Amino acid sequence: MKRLLAAVLAALSLLSLAACGAPAREEDPSPADLPSAEAPVVEPASPPSTKPDLPADPVETLLASMTLEEKVGQLFFVRCPADSAAEDVGAYHLGGYILFGRDTQDKTANDLIQTIQSYQDAASIPLLIGVDEEGGTVVRVSSNPHLRASKFQSPQKLYAKGGMDAVLSDAREKDVLLKALGFHVNLAPVADVSTDPADFIYARSFGQDAAATADYVSAVTAQMTADGMGSVLKHFPGYGNNADTHTGIAVDQRPMETFETSDFLPFEAGIQAGGGLTAVLVSHNIMTCVDETLPASLSPAVHALLREDLGFDGVVMTDDLAMDAVAAYARDGAVAVMALEAGNDLIITTDYRTQIPKVVEAVETGALDKSVIDEACRRVLSWKSALGLLEGVRPWFVG
């Protein structure tokens, strides 16, 4: 028994000694005890661009796709020929046709619509279709009783009967009729100031002083723009009491002060009211206070006056280059080159079959800078775009 007790005590003693001599167990370190690791540096993401990608300008894209011949053709707003009208649209890449009484005579509305559509069908870039429907003595459409029961009256008669309300109601009716027939441009209103019945231009003018004429031009041009009809302010720099340039040269010797205080006012008013749907037609009168030699239509100095002093940046067109007032400059067939050099964007002429090749030749030989063609064509296409003519054109270029 003593021996068993002694063995037990010895075993307990050995266990006690083992417990005292054993190394203590290391505890798991706490997170605070771990060495800190440096966080990797992350560059902040670039902020998204605040400038979205803009679609390409359709006018610029179309312009860049055009050949020289196409660009030059777009600068010709010509009298519709009696024959080969549809064929010439494609052959010369014409910018537009102006229809006269011969082109509307005896046609029904449907006849005229179909005829105009045949011209458009031949065009890769839609044509400007224009007409002189001033009212009074110049009525290319309403002179045909199939198209309107009576002729549109002159602004003077309308105003005398019903004031500006009658004038604007008449303008609205013209726009609706012309658009329905396929026209985009009415070469109106006449912005010339004339109060003397003896003046050549009097019957076509408003017949009142500069201030009243400016009010008339502003109101009519604004109405045409509201109706989506292209307007043409004519005949810059102002006809005054000059002779008929259809039959000869007209030399205007009035001082600049007269133009600044009178003749320019209706043009300035029309430019303000018409916005992007308004063009300006330049006459063949020689404005001696600016250029003693050249007709206004061919004078760089007169065009600079329109661009810089009046601030006009839209389409500028010549009066008809087939008129006698410019016959002396047309002998070598290059009058259209002169007109473009002067600053015109659109050439009105009957002789386009001669003039267009002359312009192309002038560019190819370096006599006429290509930038002149590009700038003029850009304005013409912009006018067409504002009139809604470029929608769906060459759909591959529209962004």
Side-chain angles (χ1 to χ4, degrees), residues 257-271:
E257 182 183 4
T258 300
F259 289 97
E260 291 175 338
T261 59
S262 179
D263 293 71
F264 288 172
L265 300 185
F267 289 97
E268 291 172 325
I271 289 168

Side-chain angles (χ1 to χ4, degrees), residues 267 271-272 274-280 303-316 343 345 375-376 378-380 382-383:
F267 289 97
I271 289 168
Q272 285 286 338
L277 298 195
T278 300
V280 174
H303 284 76
L305 199 64
L306 176 58
R307 295 291 191 201
E308 296 167 14
D309 289 31
L310 273 67
F312 182 61
D313 61 0
V315 168
V316 176
D345 305 302
E375 185 59 27
R378 180 177 289 109
R379 286 199 180 99
V380 171
S382 295
W383 196 28

Side-chain angles (χ1 to χ4, degrees), residues 332-365:
D332 63 355
V335 67
V337 175
M338 289 183 67
L340 291 168
E341 287 176 326
N344 293 287
D345 305 302
L346 275 176
I347 306 299
I348 297 180
T349 186
T350 304
D351 191 24
Y352 60 89
R353 292 166 181 160
T354 299
Q355 295 297 328
I356 288 176
K358 287 288 186 181
V359 174
V360 172
E361 180 185 1
V363 176
E364 291 177 337
T365 61

Side-chain angles (χ1 to χ4, degrees), residues 17-358:
L17 288 172
C20 291
R25 179 177 177 272
E26 292 184 4
E27 296 182 3
D28 292 337
S30 68
D33 297 329
L34 291 173
S36 61
E38 291 187 7
V41 177
V42 179
E43 294 291 335
S46 300
S49 173
T50 56
K51 209 180 257 189
D53 291 334
L54 297 176
D57 182 342
V59 168
E60 292 298 330
T61 307
L62 177 57
L63 184 66
S65 76
M66 294 167 67
T67 65
L68 172 61
E69 289 76 12
E70 286 178 318
K71 291 176 184 177
V72 171
Q74 286 298 298
L75 311 185
F76 282 76
F77 194 19
V78 303
R79 179 167 184 169
C80 188
D83 56 76
S84 304
E87 292 82 354
D88 279 6
V89 170
Y92 293 97
H93 312 290
L94 296 171
Y97 273 145
I98 301 174
L99 276 59
F100 285 73
R102 176 194 68 196
D103 307 300
T104 64
Q105 186 177 9
D106 298 329
K107 282 185 167 64
T108 65
N110 188 59
D111 290 339
L112 186 55
I113 290 167
Q114 295 304 319
T115 298
I116 290 174
Q117 188 59 50
S118 72
Y119 304 155
Q120 294 290 17
D121 290 343
S124 59
I125 298 173
L127 298 163
L128 293 165
I129 302 295
V131 69
D132 293 282
E133 191 68 25
E134 299 170 6
T137 61
V138 181
V139 281
R140 315 296 193 197
V141 169
S142 62
S143 57
N144 178 353
H146 296 301
L147 302 177
R148 191 172 189 269
S150 60
K151 297 177 183 179
F152 284 109
Q153 294 184 320
S154 72
Q156 291 185 34
K157 285 187 176 179
L158 288 166
Y159 187 77
K161 288 196 306 183
M164 197 58 71
D165 287 344
V167 171
L168 294 181
S169 177
D170 177 82
R172 168 69 175 160
E173 186 182 346
K174 280 181 192 172
D175 295 341
V176 170
L177 173 61
L178 294 179
K179 289 187 73 176
L181 294 171
F183 293 95
H184 316 104
V185 176
N186 185 5
L187 281 79
V190 172
D192 301 298
V193 177
S194 175
T195 58
D196 186 349
D199 294 344
F200 161 72
I201 204 66
Y202 175 79
R204 297 169 61 188
S205 74
F206 192 54
Q208 299 191 36
D209 64 16
T213 302
D215 289 343
Y216 156 73
V217 169
S218 176
V220 169
T221 306
Q223 181 65 57
M224 293 174 73
T225 294
D227 297 336
M229 176 60 65
S231 54
V232 179
L233 310 174
K234 60 186 187 183
H235 310 75
F236 188 82
Y239 218 97
N241 60 355
N242 289 282
D244 181 2
T245 50
H246 292 81
T247 58
I249 296 173
V251 179
D252 193 332
Q253 297 181 325
R254 294 177 295 161
M256 177 60 80
E257 182 183 4
T258 300
F259 289 97
E260 291 175 338
T261 59
S262 179
D263 293 71
F264 288 172
L265 300 185
F267 289 97
E268 291 172 325
I271 289 168
Q272 285 286 338
L277 298 195
T278 300
V280 174
L281 181 148
V282 183
S283 76
H284 299 318
N285 297 351
I286 295 177
M287 187 184 183
T288 59
C289 64
V290 174
D291 189 330
E292 294 183 347
T293 307
L294 292 171
S297 57
L298 304 179
S299 170
V302 173
H303 284 76
L305 199 64
L306 176 58
R307 295 291 191 201
E308 296 167 14
D309 289 31
L310 273 67
F312 182 61
D313 61 0
V315 168
V316 176
M317 66 185 74
T318 68
D319 208 342
D320 190 346
L321 293 184
M323 291 160 67
D324 287 349
V326 290
Y329 305 93
R331 288 174 186 159
D332 63 355
V335 67
V337 175
M338 289 183 67
L340 291 168
E341 287 176 326
N344 293 287
D345 305 302
L346 275 176
I347 306 299
I348 297 180
T349 186
T350 304
D351 191 24
Y352 60 89
R353 292 166 181 160
T354 299
Q355 295 297 328
I356 288 176
K358 287 288 186 181

